[in-house]
Amino acid sequence: MNNFWQNRSVLVTGCTGFLGSWMTQELVDRGAKVVGLIRDWTPQSRLFQMGLEKRMVTVYGKVEDISVLERTINEYEVETVFHLAAQTIVGVANREPLSTFEANIKGTWNVLEACRRVGTVGRIIAASSDKAYGAQKNMPYDETTPLQGDHPYDVSKSCADLICQTYYKSYNLPVCVTRCGNFYGGGDLNFNRIIPDTIRSALGNRPVIIRSNGNYIRDYFYVKDGVLAYLHLAENMDRPEILGEAFNFSNELQISVIDIVHRILTLMGKEYLQPEISNQAKNEIELQYLSAAKARKLLNWRSRYSLEEGLQEAIAWYTDFLQPQLNKYQ
């Protein structure tokens, strides 16, 4: 902890989201003047559960509206932007690609263009994803891997990532891109994701249903590690060799879906709950994991949490959050 963020004006888009709520909490704890862009009032969000909205400025609007972004950046003299707002669910993107393209692609160019026009912002961190790489033969993905998503969500992240690069190269906008794997941790209420769904199912003493064949390889990254990585990157953006760069952040573990399920069940003492394999996943990449060598070398970055530590904290959070509801029906 240092004084870097003390009294800095920081805009967080997507502050009610999973990563956004943790980012907001860390920033206000470090003394930043946080401005949060909120599209929907979601009472179960950690942002409201923790009372964080009382410690920040809230602006109601969406990233698809550039006038809201310009006004917010200008009036609150925003110095740093964490652009986290996105439609992040693969299934939603498959069913409704246009709304995903609007939020993820147009939303990104609006944020960047608003920063360019106002001119007060010295640091922009844009959240991309390992999905931006698409399906590749050579693993792990490093930052030289081509961005070539095939399916709606993946394409939206590839496009947004490239737009960030062009704003840096064409307009010298101070932007860096983060590419992380599957975030997990307390506060993720998208229960179609395997980790929260497994924990919820185990708490209810039910077997989890796996959409894929269980052998898909994923890069699971604890949300607190993600927040610290984003902040560390932003703090290093005074260095010219960092500006305009993209960075993978990962604990570099290669874990199958079935393995992560069994690890959670073991930690919860529910090994007897054998998962059910539905094998119905569509438009999902089978093999994805990242190299974080660039972040280690240029940023001297290291993951702070082991997989077991992150899972144990996540299990504790969901137990506190869900157990009262489960008790009502037992």
Side-chain angles (χ1 to χ4, degrees):
M1 181 87 58
N2 55 41
N3 295 324
F4 183 91
W5 298 100
Q6 189 74 35
N7 294 318
R8 286 183 182 263
S9 182
V10 181
L11 171 63
V12 180
T13 71
C15 63
T16 59
F18 172 40
L19 176 61
S21 68
W22 284 100
M23 177 66 72
T24 300
Q25 181 178 359
E26 188 68 24
L27 284 167
V28 296
D29 285 347
R30 295 189 183 203
K33 297 186 291 186
V34 176
V35 181
L37 183 68
I38 296 176
R39 186 190 68 175
D40 298 330
W41 179 274
T42 50
Q44 287 191 315
S45 166
R46 280 190 71 260
L47 189 87
F48 303 120
Q49 294 284 329
M50 299 291 293
L52 296 170
E53 80 283 4
K54 299 172 185 175
R55 302 171 64 189
M56 57 185 280
V57 173
T58 57
V59 175
Y60 287 90
K62 53 186 182 179
V63 290
E64 294 91 328
D65 186 345
I66 193 170
S67 63
V68 170
L69 293 166
E70 284 193 58
R71 180 188 72 80
T72 300
I73 292 168
N74 187 37
E75 289 188 6
Y76 295 102
E77 298 180 310
V78 170
E79 302 170 76
T80 303
V81 174
F82 289 98
H83 176 41
L84 312 181
Q87 194 299 103
T88 61
I89 306 302
V90 171
V92 172
N94 290 337
R95 292 192 301 271
E96 190 71 30
L98 294 187
S99 63
T100 297
F101 294 156
E102 286 272 339
N104 296 3
I105 304 174
K106 182 179 181 180
T108 298
W109 84 53
N110 277 349
V111 168
L112 298 174
E113 181 63 12
C115 291
R116 186 182 75 87
R117 292 180 186 179
V118 177
T120 61
V121 178
R123 290 173 170 81
I124 306 161
I125 304 292
S128 184
S129 166
D130 59 352
K131 308 299 184 293
Y133 292 117
Q136 301 283 345
K137 293 181 180 179
N138 297 323
M139 304 297 289
Y141 303 145
D142 65 27
E143 290 82 354
T144 66
T145 302
L147 303 178
Q148 51 186 43
D150 291 319
H151 304 299
Y153 177 73
D154 311 342
V155 167
S156 76
K157 303 308 285 187
S158 299
C159 290
D161 202 313
L162 288 167
I163 288 167
C164 290
Q165 295 179 44
T166 198
Y167 265 84
Y168 170 71
K169 292 177 181 177
S170 300
Y171 305 110
N172 204 29
L173 199 69
V175 59
C176 284
V177 173
T178 59
R179 299 172 187 154
C180 302
N182 291 16
F183 281 115
Y184 73 92
D188 182 4
L189 301 181
N190 289 309
F191 287 101
N192 58 355
R193 292 182 177 139
I194 192 63
I195 290 179
D197 191 27
T198 300
I199 297 171
R200 181 176 67 171
S201 297
L203 288 172
N205 220 36
R206 303 186 311 273
V208 67
I209 298 174
I210 297 176
R211 294 193 315 272
S212 69
N213 60 15
N215 296 320
Y216 286 15
I217 301 295
R218 289 290 181 266
D219 202 313
Y220 296 99
F221 194 44
Y222 188 41
V223 66
K224 288 185 181 180
D225 254 338
V227 168
L228 295 176
Y230 280 47
L231 294 176
H232 184 66
L233 173 56
E235 290 167 15
N236 277 272
M237 286 180 66
D238 286 332
R239 296 163 54 193
E241 69 271 25
I242 302 301
L243 277 177
E245 293 294 313
F247 291 91
N248 294 340
F249 291 109
S250 168
N251 55 18
E252 297 181 300
L253 299 176
Q254 300 154 30
I255 305 173
S256 69
V257 173
I258 193 72
D259 186 22
I260 199 75
V261 168
H262 283 307
R263 290 189 187 211
I264 293 167
L265 294 175
T266 298
L267 289 171
M268 297 181 70
K270 298 289 183 81
E271 299 97 323
Y272 58 87
L273 292 174
Q274 289 301 310
E276 298 177 6
I277 308 294
S278 68
N279 201 20
Q280 295 179 341
K282 295 180 179 178
N283 295 347
E284 293 192 28
I285 300 167
E286 293 190 20
L287 185 64
Q288 285 189 307
Y289 54 94
L290 296 164
S291 165
K294 181 178 177 180
R296 289 198 306 272
K297 181 179 179 180
L298 290 184
L299 298 172
N300 195 29
W301 175 81
R302 295 290 186 277
S303 174
R304 302 274 187 92
Y305 294 84
S306 69
L307 178 66
E308 184 170 312
E309 288 171 330
L311 289 175
Q312 287 176 331
E313 288 194 7
I315 291 166
W317 188 93
Y318 285 106
T319 301
D320 289 342
F321 180 75
L322 293 173
Q323 200 63 62
Q325 303 172 39
L326 293 169
N327 289 342
K328 290 182 181 179
Y329 302 102
Q330 291 177 351

mmCIF file of all heavy atoms in Angstrom, residues 52-73:
data_model
loop_
_atom_site.group_PDB
_atom_site.id
_atom_site.type_symbol
_atom_site.label_atom_id
_atom_site.label_comp_id
_atom_site.label_asym_id
_atom_site.label_seq_id
_atom_site.Cartn_x
_atom_site.Cartn_y
_atom_site.Cartn_z
ATOM 1 N N LEU A 52 -20.415 0.757 -0.661
ATOM 2 C CA LEU A 52 -19.369 1.525 -1.327
ATOM 3 C C LEU A 52 -19.907 2.752 -2.048
ATOM 4 O O LEU A 52 -19.174 3.729 -2.250
ATOM 5 C CB LEU A 52 -18.611 0.629 -2.314
ATOM 6 C CG LEU A 52 -17.836 -0.532 -1.689
ATOM 7 C CD1 LEU A 52 -17.327 -1.473 -2.767
ATOM 8 C CD2 LEU A 52 -16.676 -0.011 -0.853
ATOM 9 N N GLU A 53 -21.191 2.703 -2.448
ATOM 10 C CA GLU A 53 -21.764 3.850 -3.151
ATOM 11 C C GLU A 53 -21.788 5.105 -2.284
ATOM 12 O O GLU A 53 -21.857 6.234 -2.799
ATOM 13 C CB GLU A 53 -23.173 3.516 -3.653
ATOM 14 C CG GLU A 53 -24.292 3.589 -2.635
ATOM 15 C CD GLU A 53 -24.356 2.386 -1.685
ATOM 16 O OE1 GLU A 53 -23.466 1.511 -1.782
ATOM 17 O OE2 GLU A 53 -25.279 2.335 -0.857
ATOM 18 N N LYS A 54 -21.692 4.933 -0.968
ATOM 19 C CA LYS A 54 -21.678 6.082 -0.051
ATOM 20 C C LYS A 54 -20.297 6.718 0.028
ATOM 21 O O LYS A 54 -20.145 7.791 0.619
ATOM 22 C CB LYS A 54 -22.111 5.631 1.345
ATOM 23 C CG LYS A 54 -23.523 5.053 1.386
ATOM 24 C CD LYS A 54 -23.824 4.437 2.746
ATOM 25 C CE LYS A 54 -25.190 3.747 2.739
ATOM 26 N NZ LYS A 54 -25.452 3.048 4.021
ATOM 27 N N ARG A 55 -19.299 6.060 -0.558
ATOM 28 C CA ARG A 55 -17.925 6.561 -0.473
ATOM 29 C C ARG A 55 -17.401 7.020 -1.836
ATOM 30 O O ARG A 55 -16.209 7.203 -2.007
ATOM 31 C CB ARG A 55 -17.020 5.458 0.079
ATOM 32 C CG ARG A 55 -17.451 4.933 1.447
ATOM 33 C CD ARG A 55 -16.661 3.703 1.854
ATOM 34 N NE ARG A 55 -15.235 3.993 2.031
ATOM 35 C CZ ARG A 55 -14.312 3.062 2.207
ATOM 36 N NH1 ARG A 55 -14.661 1.777 2.213
ATOM 37 N NH2 ARG A 55 -13.037 3.387 2.351
ATOM 38 N N MET A 56 -18.308 7.233 -2.782
ATOM 39 C CA MET A 56 -17.899 7.570 -4.135
ATOM 40 C C MET A 56 -18.966 8.430 -4.794
ATOM 41 O O MET A 56 -20.069 8.597 -4.275
ATOM 42 C CB MET A 56 -17.704 6.291 -4.954
ATOM 43 C CG MET A 56 -18.952 5.416 -4.980
ATOM 44 S SD MET A 56 -18.760 3.833 -5.814
ATOM 45 C CE MET A 56 -18.918 4.343 -7.518
ATOM 46 N N VAL A 57 -18.613 8.979 -5.933
ATOM 47 C CA VAL A 57 -19.578 9.681 -6.781
ATOM 48 C C VAL A 57 -20.180 8.658 -7.740
ATOM 49 O O VAL A 57 -19.459 7.858 -8.339
ATOM 50 C CB VAL A 57 -18.898 10.814 -7.583
ATOM 51 C CG1 VAL A 57 -19.864 11.417 -8.589
ATOM 52 C CG2 VAL A 57 -18.354 11.876 -6.636
ATOM 53 N N THR A 58 -21.493 8.636 -7.860
ATOM 54 C CA THR A 58 -22.140 7.731 -8.809
ATOM 55 C C THR A 58 -22.767 8.528 -9.943
ATOM 56 O O THR A 58 -23.438 9.526 -9.724
ATOM 57 C CB THR A 58 -23.216 6.872 -8.132
ATOM 58 O OG1 THR A 58 -24.175 7.730 -7.497
ATOM 59 C CG2 THR A 58 -22.608 5.956 -7.101
ATOM 60 N N VAL A 59 -22.524 8.069 -11.146
ATOM 61 C CA VAL A 59 -23.105 8.658 -12.351
ATOM 62 C C VAL A 59 -23.928 7.566 -13.026
ATOM 63 O O VAL A 59 -23.431 6.462 -13.255
ATOM 64 C CB VAL A 59 -22.011 9.164 -13.318
ATOM 65 C CG1 VAL A 59 -22.642 9.657 -14.617
ATOM 66 C CG2 VAL A 59 -21.197 10.269 -12.666
ATOM 67 N N TYR A 60 -25.187 7.880 -13.327
ATOM 68 C CA TYR A 60 -26.044 6.886 -13.962
ATOM 69 C C TYR A 60 -26.018 7.079 -15.476
ATOM 70 O O TYR A 60 -26.276 8.171 -15.982
ATOM 71 C CB TYR A 60 -27.472 6.970 -13.413
ATOM 72 C CG TYR A 60 -27.543 6.417 -12.017
ATOM 73 C CD1 TYR A 60 -27.342 7.243 -10.913
ATOM 74 C CD2 TYR A 60 -27.738 5.058 -11.798
ATOM 75 C CE1 TYR A 60 -27.359 6.725 -9.623
ATOM 76 C CE2 TYR A 60 -27.755 4.536 -10.515
ATOM 77 C CZ TYR A 60 -27.572 5.371 -9.439
ATOM 78 O OH TYR A 60 -27.580 4.858 -8.165
ATOM 79 N N GLY A 61 -25.688 6.029 -16.163
ATOM 80 C CA GLY A 61 -25.582 6.072 -17.617
ATOM 81 C C GLY A 61 -24.902 4.812 -18.101
ATOM 82 O O GLY A 61 -24.614 3.896 -17.322
ATOM 83 N N LYS A 62 -24.633 4.758 -19.377
ATOM 84 C CA LYS A 62 -23.990 3.571 -19.938
ATOM 85 C C LYS A 62 -22.890 3.988 -20.900
ATOM 86 O O LYS A 62 -22.886 5.109 -21.436
ATOM 87 C CB LYS A 62 -25.015 2.682 -20.644
ATOM 88 C CG LYS A 62 -25.878 3.369 -21.684
ATOM 89 C CD LYS A 62 -26.950 2.415 -22.196
ATOM 90 C CE LYS A 62 -27.795 3.087 -23.289
ATOM 91 N NZ LYS A 62 -28.819 2.160 -23.809
ATOM 92 N N VAL A 63 -21.961 3.075 -21.130
ATOM 93 C CA VAL A 63 -20.805 3.397 -21.966
ATOM 94 C C VAL A 63 -21.196 3.583 -23.428
ATOM 95 O O VAL A 63 -20.416 4.152 -24.199
ATOM 96 C CB VAL A 63 -19.703 2.320 -21.846
ATOM 97 C CG1 VAL A 63 -19.042 2.367 -20.482
ATOM 98 C CG2 VAL A 63 -20.249 0.931 -22.146
ATOM 99 N N GLU A 64 -22.371 3.139 -23.813
ATOM 100 C CA GLU A 64 -22.823 3.365 -25.182
ATOM 101 C C GLU A 64 -23.199 4.822 -25.438
ATOM 102 O O GLU A 64 -23.414 5.223 -26.587
ATOM 103 C CB GLU A 64 -24.028 2.468 -25.496
ATOM 104 C CG GLU A 64 -23.730 0.986 -25.516
ATOM 105 C CD GLU A 64 -23.941 0.316 -24.175
ATOM 106 O OE1 GLU A 64 -23.734 0.977 -23.124
ATOM 107 O OE2 GLU A 64 -24.313 -0.873 -24.158
ATOM 108 N N ASP A 65 -23.251 5.648 -24.392
ATOM 109 C CA ASP A 65 -23.631 7.065 -24.497
ATOM 110 C C ASP A 65 -22.386 7.932 -24.270
ATOM 111 O O ASP A 65 -21.969 8.171 -23.141
ATOM 112 C CB ASP A 65 -24.707 7.390 -23.466
ATOM 113 C CG ASP A 65 -25.266 8.801 -23.613
ATOM 114 O OD1 ASP A 65 -24.641 9.625 -24.308
ATOM 115 O OD2 ASP A 65 -26.325 9.073 -23.023
ATOM 116 N N ILE A 66 -21.798 8.413 -25.342
ATOM 117 C CA ILE A 66 -20.536 9.152 -25.214
ATOM 118 C C ILE A 66 -20.719 10.487 -24.504
ATOM 119 O O ILE A 66 -19.802 10.970 -23.831
ATOM 120 C CB ILE A 66 -19.876 9.361 -26.601
ATOM 121 C CG1 ILE A 66 -18.427 9.842 -26.428
ATOM 122 C CG2 ILE A 66 -20.682 10.301 -27.471
ATOM 123 C CD1 ILE A 66 -17.627 9.851 -27.713
ATOM 124 N N SER A 67 -21.893 11.097 -24.602
ATOM 125 C CA SER A 67 -22.111 12.386 -23.939
ATOM 126 C C SER A 67 -22.024 12.251 -22.426
ATOM 127 O O SER A 67 -21.511 13.144 -21.735
ATOM 128 C CB SER A 67 -23.468 12.972 -24.343
ATOM 129 O OG SER A 67 -24.533 12.142 -23.929
ATOM 130 N N VAL A 68 -22.523 11.138 -21.879
ATOM 131 C CA VAL A 68 -22.416 10.894 -20.439
ATOM 132 C C VAL A 68 -20.948 10.752 -20.039
ATOM 133 O O VAL A 68 -20.509 11.296 -19.019
ATOM 134 C CB VAL A 68 -23.198 9.625 -20.045
ATOM 135 C CG1 VAL A 68 -22.898 9.221 -18.606
ATOM 136 C CG2 VAL A 68 -24.694 9.844 -20.217
ATOM 137 N N LEU A 69 -20.181 10.046 -20.841
ATOM 138 C CA LEU A 69 -18.764 9.846 -20.546
ATOM 139 C C LEU A 69 -17.995 11.163 -20.590
ATOM 140 O O LEU A 69 -17.190 11.455 -19.697
ATOM 141 C CB LEU A 69 -18.169 8.846 -21.538
ATOM 142 C CG LEU A 69 -18.682 7.412 -21.427
ATOM 143 C CD1 LEU A 69 -18.286 6.605 -22.650
ATOM 144 C CD2 LEU A 69 -18.160 6.739 -20.157
ATOM 145 N N GLU A 70 -18.246 11.965 -21.627
ATOM 146 C CA GLU A 70 -17.553 13.260 -21.733
ATOM 147 C C GLU A 70 -17.877 14.156 -20.551
ATOM 148 O O GLU A 70 -16.986 14.792 -19.972
ATOM 149 C CB GLU A 70 -17.927 13.943 -23.045
ATOM 150 C CG GLU A 70 -17.246 13.367 -24.263
ATOM 151 C CD GLU A 70 -17.397 14.275 -25.473
ATOM 152 O OE1 GLU A 70 -16.976 15.457 -25.400
ATOM 153 O OE2 GLU A 70 -17.948 13.820 -26.487
ATOM 154 N N ARG A 71 -19.155 14.231 -20.205
ATOM 155 C CA ARG A 71 -19.545 15.077 -19.075
ATOM 156 C C ARG A 71 -18.874 14.612 -17.791
ATOM 157 O O ARG A 71 -18.344 15.417 -17.008
ATOM 158 C CB ARG A 71 -21.060 15.066 -18.908
ATOM 159 C CG ARG A 71 -21.546 15.941 -17.747
ATOM 160 C CD ARG A 71 -23.022 15.787 -17.471
ATOM 161 N NE ARG A 71 -23.353 14.499 -16.865
ATOM 162 C CZ ARG A 71 -23.201 14.225 -15.566
ATOM 163 N NH1 ARG A 71 -22.668 15.119 -14.737
ATOM 164 N NH2 ARG A 71 -23.550 13.046 -15.089
ATOM 165 N N THR A 72 -18.882 13.314 -17.563
ATOM 166 C CA THR A 72 -18.325 12.764 -16.331
ATOM 167 C C THR A 72 -16.829 13.029 -16.233
ATOM 168 O O THR A 72 -16.330 13.509 -15.200
ATOM 169 C CB THR A 72 -18.585 11.249 -16.273
ATOM 170 O OG1 THR A 72 -20.005 11.015 -16.315
ATOM 171 C CG2 THR A 72 -18.010 10.637 -15.011
ATOM 172 N N ILE A 73 -16.097 12.743 -17.287
ATOM 173 C CA ILE A 73 -14.647 12.939 -17.274
ATOM 174 C C ILE A 73 -14.300 14.411 -17.098
ATOM 175 O O ILE A 73 -13.378 14.763 -16.346
ATOM 176 C CB ILE A 73 -14.026 12.373 -18.571
ATOM 177 C CG1 ILE A 73 -14.163 10.844 -18.592
ATOM 178 C CG2 ILE A 73 -12.562 12.782 -18.711
ATOM 179 C CD1 ILE A 73 -13.854 10.216 -19.931
#
